[in-house]
Each structure stands twice: as structure tokens, then as C-alpha cells.
Amino acid sequence: MAEILFPALFLLLALGLPVAFAMAISVFAAITLASNYPPLVVVKEMFAGLDSFPLLAVPFFILASEIMTGGAVTHAILRLAQAFVGHLRGGLGHANVISSAMFAGISGSALADAAGPGTMMIRMMEKGGYDRPYASALTIASAVVGPIIPPSITMIIYAMQDQNVSVGSLFMAGILPGLLITATVLVANANMSKRRNYASGEQRPGWMEIGRVALFALPALTLIVLIVGGIRFGVFTPTEASVIAVFYALFIGMFVYRSLRLRDLPGIILRAALTSGAVLLILGAARAFAWVLIIENVPQFLAETIISWDLAPVAFLLAVNLLLIIFGLFMDPLPGVMILVPILAPISFALGIDPNHFAIIVIVNLTLGLTTPPVGSLIFVVSSTVGLKPSTLIREMPPFFLALATALLLITFVPFLSTWLPTISGF
């Protein structure tokens, strides 16, 4: 079946079919043309991939993100980021990057970061004298932290594939790598702003003003502390945390910021349902795809081949980085996690690599695939919102590719970044 599965998948992706449909159709074709299994097994495996209690956290976190992204919450985060760095050279660009890091603690999604505060910051940067393609490329790079700083939908899916990690440990493991990525993109923006003379026209605010803006943004930023702290101290499970996040978002939206009205809820719920449906469809199709690979003994063959190479841990991590970068060119992070983690995670564990460290390497690698053609979802989301061709944005990306690659290498070869917080937190 594999001889039909992979060519069919790449052909459908090349034709521009969405990833979920490409995987499901290729599985159906492989089973119909090269096996004795009934086609109904595709539906059965897709349903089995979704029949999981921890997976309930995904639609609830998406709903919480939709509630929090509107109106005053987004403005509060942007104002706080501007208050801290808006007066520096390239200050609006810095504010873009920092607001993405703050918003990552609410959305858990790179695409939500880019489509929400990222789009608003592009308009603000353009008014401030920045080139629109540069502002858009910066938004693409800064949105990468969305699935890395907790809460993260990708981490929830990863924990379901690897029994050596938990959602709580991955949430803690992602904090320092997420901040490192933010720092490298800030350095890239500072360098480019100096070259292009993107000066700031804003005055440095006083401490009283900064304190007032920070106080206004505090209820929104408290969500990440509530989620990570609650999971760490055993107050609630990740699935329960997602439900609490929804009620907390409703509370601050309606009674603290007063920007959320009852008549807004049907539209918010509809958007969250559509996004959740798309995510869950990808997960179901990835489960069916992975099932065919298992039936064909592909994971076992790859695992035995890699083990036979007798690689040192460092060489193995370099090989994994290369494999995941190539894989990320053609596949989104969620199906990548479901297909590759069951193959690679046991090998890394046998080599003595910390499971949380390896998990962050995988998640960062696959998330970087969102910024690279030909499938890079972030490129197409941002290009559609700003009215520019994807090729125009790609030409602005090299400085940020270099920054992200530097962060990836540091995360790969400095395990402390991914292991320290889970260790001191007792995971």
C-alpha cells in the first residue's frame, strides 16, 4: 500500500488539495487498490483518532482564543508591547514580536497569532513608515511562538503520541524556547531596522503610563498563569483547564473589559466550530494515514534502519532536524506529530535523550514549516490578509530564517532550555 499512499499524497498536495483531504483520499486509494481491507476502515480509523478525552481540550482552547482575540483584549496586549519597546529604533516591529509572544499564551496557535494581533500590527507598522512586505514577513516569523509558548494545541497532540511526556511537562518545557525564539526575532528586527532606518516616532512613556497600561492588560495575561499553574499544582487536568479558560475568557470579556456582548457569542462559537472542525479533520485523517504506515511496517522498518546506523545522540538530533525540516516543507505540524512521533520518540528515548527536550525539538521544527514554501500556511494566511503575493513575502524572509535557524540550533544543543523548567516544576 505504501507504493500508492505516498505518491498519491504528494500528487494531491501538489494540486493544492487541503492536507486533511489529501491524506484521507490517499489512504482510501491505497486501501482500495492495494489491500483486502474494506474502504470503511478509513472512516473507522479517522473516528478512532478523535475518540479521546484529552482531545476535548482542543476545541475548548480554540473557543477561549476566539473569545479573547476580539476587541479590548487584543488592544490591551498591543498597547502593553508598545509601551515597553515602542520608543526604540524599530519599536513597532519589536512591539509586533512581543505582542505575538504575549498572545501565544492565549491562543496556542501560530495562525491565530498572525491573523489576530499580527494583522493589526502590520497596519500600524505600515502607518509608521515600514514597508508592508517587511512588516508581513516579521509577523510570519514572530507568529512561530504560538504553538511553543503554552497553552499549545500541538503539545496536547504530541503528549497523546508519546507516553514519556505529559501536557503539563511540555507546557513548562516550551516557555524558555519560546522566549529564545522571540529574542532572536527581536535581534533580527533590530538589525534590519538599523539597515533600513526604521526609526521610532514615539516618545518613551513614563513609568506611571506603563503601569497603567500593564494593569489594563493584566487580566488577559493572567490566563497563561492560570492554565500552567493550575496544571502544575494538580488543581485541574489540561482538558479541565481548557474549559476553565473559556469561562475565564467570557468573564473578563463581559465584565472586566466589557467588550464582549451576548449577541457576539453565536459568531464566536461558529468561528471556533469551523476552526475546530478543520483541526480535528486533520487529526482524523492523520490517524488513518498512520494506521496504513503501521500495517505496512514502515515505522518498524525506519526505526530498525536508524538504530542500525548506531548514531550518537548528537548525530541523531542533527538527522532528525534535517528530516523534520524537509517534512515541514510539505506537511502541517499536527499531522507531522501524529505520523512521525511514534517512530522517532522511542528511538530518542533509547538513546538517552530527554523526552521533553526531544518533544520541543520536534514541535519547533514542524512549526518552522509554517514559514517555508511550498505549503507554509503562515505565508498564505498573511499574504491573503495584506493583499500581497506570497513570493513578495518570501523575499523578505531570509533574515528571519537565519534568526529562527539560530534559535533551533540552540534549542537542539542546549537541552537545559527545554528541561530546566519541567525539572524544577516536578514533572
Side-chain angles (χ1 to χ4, degrees):
M1 288 190 286
E3 64 274 10
I4 294 177
L5 184 70
F6 288 106
L9 175 65
F10 289 123
L11 174 62
L12 293 171
L13 290 175
L15 292 174
L17 211 65
V19 172
F21 291 103
M23 286 192 294
I25 293 173
S26 62
V27 170
F28 181 82
I31 288 177
T32 302
L33 300 176
S35 79
N36 294 321
Y37 292 100
L40 188 62
V41 75
V42 180
V43 179
K44 172 184 172 297
E45 289 302 321
M46 290 181 69
F47 180 81
L50 303 179
D51 188 17
S52 170
F53 179 74
L55 205 56
L56 284 174
V58 172
F60 280 112
F61 273 129
I62 291 173
L63 178 57
S65 171
E66 286 290 342
I67 295 170
M68 294 282 282
T69 52
V73 174
T74 302
H75 285 291
I77 292 173
L78 294 180
R79 286 174 58 192
L80 180 60
Q82 280 187 273
F84 280 120
V85 296
H87 62 283
L88 302 174
R89 177 181 291 276
L92 284 176
H94 292 326
N96 187 338
V97 178
I98 292 176
S99 64
S100 287
M102 293 178 181
F103 198 76
I106 295 173
S107 69
S109 165
L111 299 181
D113 273 16
T119 301
M120 297 176 64
M121 281 304 307
I122 291 172
R123 291 195 291 265
M124 293 172 62
M125 290 176 68
E126 191 174 8
K127 290 179 181 178
Y130 292 74
D131 297 326
R132 187 191 301 180
Y134 174 81
S136 302
L138 177 62
T139 297
I140 292 170
S142 64
V144 166
V145 297
I148 299 167
I149 294 178
S152 166
I153 295 170
T154 307
M155 290 178 180
I156 295 171
I157 305 305
Y158 189 104
M160 294 173 60
Q161 309 304 314
D162 184 1
Q163 300 302 313
N164 293 311
V165 298
S166 66
V167 174
S169 69
L170 291 183
F171 279 7
M172 298 304 297
I175 294 175
L176 290 182
L179 295 177
L180 173 64
I181 292 172
T182 300
T184 58
V185 177
L186 283 172
V187 171
N189 176 65
N191 184 48
M192 293 301 296
S193 297
K194 184 177 180 180
R195 290 185 181 184
R196 301 188 181 189
N197 196 29
Y198 290 144
S200 172
E202 298 185 14
Q203 296 293 323
R204 181 174 184 173
W207 289 110
M208 290 291 292
E209 175 65 15
I210 293 177
R212 187 178 67 82
V213 173
L215 186 63
F216 184 69
L218 184 61
L221 298 178
T222 300
L223 180 61
I224 184 173
V225 179
L226 178 68
I227 293 172
V228 176
I231 294 173
R232 162 62 187 86
F233 294 107
V235 179
F236 38 71
T237 66
T239 304
E240 293 165 345
S242 66
V243 179
I244 291 171
V246 170
F247 282 99
Y248 180 81
L250 284 170
F251 175 78
I252 67 169
M254 298 181 73
F255 301 109
V256 178
Y257 292 117
R258 298 183 180 179
S259 61
L260 181 65
R261 293 162 292 187
L262 287 175
R263 67 170 178 265
D264 299 329
L265 291 180
I268 289 173
I269 294 172
L270 177 61
R271 290 195 300 273
L274 291 173
T275 304
S276 300
V279 170
L280 295 176
L281 187 60
I282 289 173
L283 296 179
R287 167 61 184 259
F289 193 92
W291 177 80
V292 173
L293 295 182
I294 293 171
I295 292 297
E296 290 290 281
N297 291 318
V298 173
Q300 297 90 323
F301 172 76
L302 289 176
E304 291 171 1
T305 301
I306 295 173
I307 291 173
S308 69
W309 293 343
D310 196 23
L311 297 175
V314 171
F316 173 74
L317 290 179
L318 284 173
V320 166
N321 276 322
L322 180 60
L323 169 66
L324 293 177
I325 288 172
I326 295 172
F327 193 88
L329 295 175
F330 305 100
M331 191 73 70
D332 285 340
L334 293 182
V337 166
M338 294 193 69
I339 293 171
L340 294 176
V341 170
I343 301 172
L344 299 175
I347 302 173
S348 72
F349 186 73
L351 291 174
I353 299 170
D354 184 276
N356 289 306
H357 178 213
F358 185 75
I360 297 302
I361 292 172
V362 172
I363 292 169
V364 171
N365 262 294
L366 292 176
T367 304
L368 294 185
L370 296 173
T371 70
T372 55
V375 179
S377 301
L378 280 173
I379 296 173
F380 292 101
V381 167
V382 173
S383 67
S384 64
T385 59
V386 299
L388 293 173
K389 293 181 179 179
S391 58
T392 303
L393 305 188
I394 293 170
R395 283 195 292 269
E396 294 282 352
M397 287 298 297
F400 303 116
F401 286 146
L402 179 61
L404 295 172
T406 301
L408 176 60
L409 288 175
L410 288 172
I411 291 167
T412 300
F413 296 112
V414 186
F416 171 86
L417 293 168
S418 306
T419 59
W420 181 60
L421 283 179
T423 300
I424 67 171
S425 300
F427 285 105

